[in-house]
Each structure stands twice: as structure tokens, then as C-alpha cells.
Amino acid sequence: MRRLTGLRVAGGRLRHGWRPVLEATVAATVAWLLATRLLGHPQPFFAPAAALIVLGQARGQRIRRAVEVILGVAAGVLVADLVVQALGPGSTWTVFTVILLTVLLAVAFGATGVTLVQAAVSALYLVVVAPPDGTLVPFRFVDALIGGAVALAASLLVDARHPLAPLVAEVRHTFDELAGLLAGIADALDRRDESAAMDELTRARGMDVRVDGLRDGVLAAGEALRLNVRRRRHIGRLRSVDESVRQIDYAVRNVRVLARAGVTLSRLHTPVPPELGVALRSLAEAVREAGAALAADLNGQDEAADRYASRADESALAAVHTAGQLFGSTQALPLAMIIGQVRATAIDLLRGVNPDDDAAVLARVDEALGLPGAGRDARRFLR
């Protein structure tokens, strides 16, 4: 049974990960062919190695990593050539001196971990495996350049037709998971199920990974657009999502506090008002509509984006209004905290969908909550 489960897990990983495997294999092979057949390099080790190193980085970091790999190889080759000529190849002192000088040089120039390691490995390879032969032709540096260029070209080909598609998928997954989390909290409170509420709190604590994935998706999309000749029509859409990510991060933090208060409320003997579940489910619906709005905006579907944003606004204000009606019904602190977090989440959510409507969003939410003077402020902001 365990073997069968392990095979299923392995099969699932292959189904989801075959594209990066194929991409890396083809890129490394192409880099090798270019270095050997086109340029005639005798031992182009660094061409496929550089391609694999660059493609092994997360999308959004590959241009920088390609430059770092090339610089690392150049520094390592330079140090190895000088030290081997002075001390000879293969000795312990040569190895010690090459590694020491290479790392010192990389640190002095502020190199990151990838550049530092690449420089040291390149130098060590030249000392132990393929000592310099005294030629002035920079074969290894050119090989690293070829590998990095092929890796970037492979990234470009993968994202050429739909450079924003991975980010759209990440937006949808993030918002769907956040909406499901809110609905799960509502179900747990309806049943007064402390165990289920704890499970939802655990999920809420894991939402930071989703936000990080969203940030990485924005970086990857930016990199794809920098490599895309038709990037201009996408840049504005990407910037709008980039501005929204910070507000989504705030909303995730609010939901985490809400989930923690939900655990406390589920432990109390006081009944949970059914309106609270209604408010949380309305807020979950607002999250789904907000995610659909951002995804439609990235896809260039302006009318659909406006329609989803309007629905998100309606559902978020409905959630705040419903929660606000519970203020006078109980003095339980956890309930008051949840109501406050419903308001805060609605504000951050709507700010994320409408980043240019900051003051009006705050006024509309407070009016829905029934705060004194909020309606007057809202009318003033909306003029």
C-alpha cells in the first residue's frame, strides 16, 4: 500500500513538473550543441551547466542569475589562471589559494550566494579537472554566456504567447484559497466546532506562502515582459496588480486575526449569531469577485474586470453591513474582534481592486458599518 501511494505521489509530481524537466533538458542540450558544433569549443562544460543553473532559479530571477553565473565564471577563471601559473596545478596549496582568493574577491564585490558559489566552483574545476593550458581564448567565459543566453531564450519561448498566464493562475488560486478560508471559518462558527476553527487558523497561517507566490508571480511576469517584444500593452496591467499585492497581504493578515478570534469564540458557551456566518460568506464572495476582477484585468477584459469589481464592492459592503448589525447584540470580545476584522479585510480588499479610490472606499465601508457621520463623509469623498 505504501509503495502504491509513493508511486501515485511520484506520478503526480511528474504530471505537474514535466515541463520544467523538458525545458532544462532541451536548453542544456542546445547550449552544448552551440558551443561544440557552432563554435568548436573542445570541452564546453560550462555551457550546459550555466543553462541548468539559470533555469533552476525561480521565474523572475533568471536575468539576474544569468548575469551572476557569467560573472562568477569569469572571476573563477581569472583567479584560477593566475594561481595555477604561479603555483602549478593540482597541489593542495593551489586548491586552498584558489578557493580563498576567489571567495574573497566575490565577497569584496558584494556577490550573492549564487555568484560566490559559481565563482568558487568554476575556479576549483579548472584547478582539479581541467587546468588552464595557457591559451588566451576565453572558452569557458563564452560557454557560460551561451548557457545563460539559451536559458533566457527558453524562458522567453515558454511565456512568449501568454506572458501573464502564470500570474493569472496564481491570482485565481490565491483568492480562491482566501475565499475558501473565510467560508471554512463561517462553517466552523455555525457548528461551534473548535477543532474545525483550529484547522482554519492553521490554513490562515499558511496563507503567507500564497502571498509570497503572488509576489513571485509578479516578478516572473515582469521578467517575461522584459524579454517580450510586445510587452508594452501588458505593462500597465502588471503595474495595477503589483500595487494590489500589498493590500492583499494586509487582507490576509486581517483574516488570520479573524481566524484566531474565531477559535476563541468557538470555545465560549455563548451562542454564535447566525448573521456572523452570513457576513463571512458575503466577504468570501467579495474575495472571489475581487480575484476574478484582477484576473480579467490581466487578461485585458476591461468590461468583465469592472463588472467583477462592482460585485466585489457590493458583497464586501454587504458583509460589513451585516456584521455591523451585531455590535449591540453581545459584549463578547472575540465577536467584536471578528466584526472589526471583517471591516479591515473589506477595506484592504476593495483598495486592492480600486487602488485609486482609497478615501471613497474607507467612507463607503464605514457607512455600511453604520458609523456616525460616515454617510456625510462618503458623499463628500464621492463628489
Side-chain angles (χ1 to χ4, degrees):
M1 183 62 69
R2 289 183 178 179
R3 290 182 179 178
L4 183 59
T5 302
L7 289 175
R8 289 176 178 174
V9 171
R13 290 172 178 169
L14 288 176
R15 283 194 301 272
H16 290 89
W18 68 269
R19 290 180 184 275
V21 171
L22 180 62
E23 180 185 21
T25 303
V26 172
T29 303
V30 169
W32 171 272
L33 289 174
L34 288 176
T36 55
R37 302 292 175 84
L38 184 63
L39 300 180
H41 289 186
Q43 294 178 320
F45 168 80
F46 288 107
L52 292 173
I53 291 172
V54 173
L55 289 175
Q57 306 303 315
R59 293 187 181 274
Q61 302 177 3
R62 291 181 175 178
I63 294 177
R64 186 182 69 181
R65 290 294 187 254
V67 174
E68 290 180 351
V69 168
I70 294 168
L71 294 178
V73 169
V77 169
L78 176 62
V79 171
D81 278 336
L82 295 176
V83 173
V84 169
Q85 290 178 16
L87 301 180
S91 69
T92 302
W93 279 111
T94 301
V95 172
F96 174 82
T97 305
V98 164
I99 295 176
L100 178 63
L101 292 180
T102 304
V103 173
L104 285 176
L105 183 64
V107 171
F109 282 95
T112 63
V114 173
T115 307
L116 190 151
V117 171
Q118 184 60 37
V121 170
S122 301
L124 189 60
Y125 176 84
L126 294 183
V127 173
V128 177
V129 180
D133 55 7
T135 180
L136 297 179
V137 179
F139 285 129
R140 296 171 178 88
F141 176 78
V142 175
D143 290 341
L145 181 62
I146 291 172
V150 169
L152 294 180
S155 298
L156 172 61
L157 290 175
V158 170
D159 297 328
R161 294 186 60 186
H162 304 289
L164 298 182
L167 178 57
V168 171
E170 192 65 41
V171 166
R172 287 173 173 162
H173 291 159
T174 300
F175 281 79
D176 286 346
E177 187 163 337
L178 185 59
L181 173 60
L182 286 166
I185 295 172
D187 292 340
L189 291 178
D190 285 346
R191 302 192 306 267
R192 296 180 62 185
D193 188 337
E194 180 182 348
S195 177
M198 283 295 301
D199 291 341
E200 299 305 324
L201 176 57
T202 300
R203 286 179 60 190
R205 289 169 174 164
M207 281 299 299
D208 287 339
V209 176
R210 275 296 183 191
V211 176
D212 291 340
L214 198 56
R215 290 196 184 96
D216 291 342
V218 171
L219 292 176
E223 180 179 80
L225 292 182
R226 286 195 295 273
L227 298 173
N228 194 305
V229 296
R230 298 178 297 174
R231 63 184 181 275
R232 291 184 179 178
R233 63 191 180 93
H234 298 297
I235 290 177
R237 300 169 190 165
L238 182 61
R239 286 174 180 168
S240 66
V241 175
D242 191 22
E243 294 173 357
S244 301
V245 171
R246 181 177 61 179
Q247 297 300 144
I248 303 308
D249 186 19
Y250 293 155
V252 166
R253 298 180 190 183
N254 293 330
V255 173
R256 185 162 58 242
V257 175
L258 189 155
R260 190 177 299 116
V263 172
T264 304
L265 184 61
S266 67
R267 293 172 177 169
L268 301 180
H269 298 293
T270 57
V272 176
E275 293 82 4
L276 184 59
V278 174
L280 293 178
R281 292 184 180 90
S282 294
L283 190 59
E285 184 62 26
V287 170
R288 291 191 185 93
E289 298 293 346
L294 289 178
D297 184 49
L298 286 170
N299 285 325
Q301 302 168 338
D302 295 336
E303 293 184 2
D306 291 340
R307 186 167 60 251
Y308 288 127
S310 178
R311 293 176 183 172
D313 191 284
E314 293 175 2
S315 296
L317 295 180
V320 172
H321 177 74
T322 303
Q325 303 304 306
L326 301 174
F327 258 130
S329 63
T330 181
Q331 299 298 319
L333 179 60
L335 180 57
M337 292 177 62
I338 291 176
I339 295 170
Q341 293 307 314
V342 168
R343 172 186 177 273
T345 303
I347 291 173
D348 290 325
L349 185 66
L350 296 184
R351 282 174 174 171
V353 176
N354 301 294
D356 298 328
D357 199 22
D358 193 2
V361 164
L362 180 61
R364 291 202 308 275
V365 169
D366 284 346
E367 183 181 22
L369 190 60
L371 294 181
R376 181 173 61 255
D377 293 337
R379 287 189 293 272
R380 175 166 58 85
F381 283 125
L382 291 172
R383 282 176 188 154

